[in-house]
Amino acid sequence: QVQLVESGGGLVQPGGSLRLSCAASGGIFSVNAMAWYRQVPGKQRDLVAQITSGGSTKYADSVKGRFSISSDNAKNTVYLQMNSLKPEDTAVYYCYADLDGFLPKHDYWGQGTQVTVSS
């Protein structure tokens, strides 16, 4: 019954900002890492940013300096602050969590949230 619930997507003009949120709930687990991926039609789902339970972060080169990932460990929640958005950032953004616990699997995905950057 573990689920990742995403929010914050939408339509924004180039140069604008959005903040995505994702909360993991529904089981007894510990979090190894959480991350944001994005996918456009016809292409692979690619890593945008990740954060470990210890706070270490990593970013795709295409978003460095514009996006920032953060987490609230007490709430099992990860955020993605997206600034200076470009049309090429348009994609479905997926939350990912690597979990430890008595679970049927260790990796979980959110349902995806659409981010559209357009004039």
Side-chain angles (χ1 to χ4, degrees), residues 38 57 64 70-71:
R38 66 187 181 188
T57 60
K64 287 181 179 177
S70 61
S71 63

Side-chain angles (χ1 to χ4, degrees), residues 38-76:
R38 66 187 181 188
Q39 187 171 30
V40 298
K43 294 190 176 182
Q44 293 186 176
R45 188 173 298 183
D46 293 326
L47 178 68
V48 177
Q50 67 179 42
I51 186 167
T52 69
S53 60
S56 178
T57 60
K58 185 176 182 179
Y59 297 91
D61 288 342
S62 60
V63 306
K64 287 181 179 177
R66 299 188 298 120
F67 291 10
S68 179
I69 190 169
S70 61
S71 63
D72 183 337
N73 291 337
K75 297 181 179 180
N76 292 324

Side-chain angles (χ1 to χ4, degrees), residues 60-95:
D61 288 342
S62 60
V63 306
K64 287 181 179 177
R66 299 188 298 120
F67 291 10
S68 179
I69 190 169
S70 61
S71 63
D72 183 337
N73 291 337
K75 297 181 179 180
N76 292 324
T77 299
V78 65
Y79 306 93
L80 185 67
Q81 179 66 46
M82 309 165 66
N83 298 326
S84 302
L85 283 162
K86 304 174 180 179
E88 49 263 46
D89 295 318
T90 296
V92 177
Y93 283 70
Y94 294 91
C95 180

